Amino acid sequence: TWGRSRRALPTMTRVRVGTINPWLALSNSLDNDELRARLKVEWTNAGLVGGLLSTFSFPACVSPANFINFDSQSSLDDNLPRLYGTLMGLSFVFNMISAISSLALMGQLNLVPRTEVTEFVKENHSVILVPGLTLAIGGLLGVAGLCIATYLIYGAPVLETLSVFSGVGLLYLLKTQAQLMRTSKTMLKSQIS
């Protein structure tokens, strides 16, 4: 497995540095079979997670909980339940687009001959990103809706506590990603020399 990971390391560096769309860079550096396998894994993951998130957001937009706040301080509190329903509805739509586009792209990929996968990626490089991008947008909209629900149900102190923990978690993830990038650069330099 070390031989495969040694070949993958320069590919990861070229993907990160060379282009905005990583699939274009990968199409230049991977053979057709490996590229097909990676696309299928990417779309399978996006489709499954998009479908799963849709099952959470659909009930929230069709029959939202009855958020009644008798201690409403402003007109903003009156509009928050409507905003919650809108965000969860948009989350449902984007997550379903992710799941459906994943299925459609895998169906198209299955029709592509084995020797032409690279050309398929180059001709459709912008469409290939749709499942992942719509999944990210749908996930963020769902999290925003859940933050509003948390505020409406439990009030500001619980929301502030969750925000602090979420911020700490995000900083930890960013720190870990930076450490991984430094490690990959060090490994790449040691391979070159």
Side-chain angles (χ1 to χ4, degrees):
T1 60
W2 173 243
R4 287 186 77 176
S5 63
R6 289 182 74 172
R7 286 194 309 266
L9 190 60
T11 302
M12 291 186 328
T13 305
R14 280 196 302 268
V15 168
R16 192 173 58 243
V17 175
T19 182
I20 293 173
N21 187 338
W23 291 107
L24 272 176
L26 285 173
S27 69
N28 292 327
S29 60
L30 295 177
D31 64 359
N32 286 319
D33 292 333
E34 179 71 18
L35 188 59
R36 179 187 297 269
R38 288 189 186 195
L39 284 169
K40 284 188 173 186
V41 167
E42 180 84 12
W43 292 333
T44 300
N45 290 338
L48 286 173
V49 173
L52 179 66
L53 291 178
S54 294
T55 63
F56 293 127
S57 58
F58 181 73
C61 68
V62 173
S63 59
N66 190 8
F67 297 115
I68 299 174
N69 187 358
F70 294 107
D71 299 327
S72 175
Q73 301 288 329
S74 68
S75 63
L76 175 66
D77 288 344
D78 298 333
N79 290 323
L80 284 177
R82 185 175 295 129
L83 180 61
Y84 165 76
T86 302
L87 288 172
M88 295 310 282
L90 287 171
S91 174
F92 172 75
V93 168
F94 277 103
N95 288 321
M96 283 306 294
I97 290 171
S98 175
I100 292 169
S101 62
S102 294
L103 288 173
L105 285 169
M106 279 198 285
Q108 290 298 312
L109 184 63
N110 287 333
L111 298 174
V112 174
R114 185 175 172 185
T115 58
E116 297 179 15
V117 176
T118 301
E119 281 71 32
F120 173 78
V121 169
K122 288 179 181 178
E123 290 175 8
N124 300 299
H125 64 88
S126 59
V127 177
I128 287 172
L129 296 174
V130 168
L133 290 176
T134 55
L135 178 64
I137 293 168
L140 289 174
L141 289 169
V143 168
L146 291 175
C147 287
I148 290 174
T150 302
Y151 172 74
L152 290 170
I153 294 171
Y154 300 108
V158 173
L159 180 62
E160 292 166 357
T161 304
L162 288 176
S163 299
V164 168
F165 282 114
S166 298
V168 169
L170 181 62
L171 288 174
Y172 178 75
L173 287 174
L174 291 173
K175 177 186 170 208
T176 304
Q177 182 64 30
Q179 185 178 4
L180 287 172
M181 288 179 11
R182 281 192 303 272
T183 303
S184 66
K185 284 181 184 179
T186 305
M187 289 175 70
L188 181 62
K189 287 179 184 178
S190 69
Q191 284 179 358
I192 294 172
S193 57

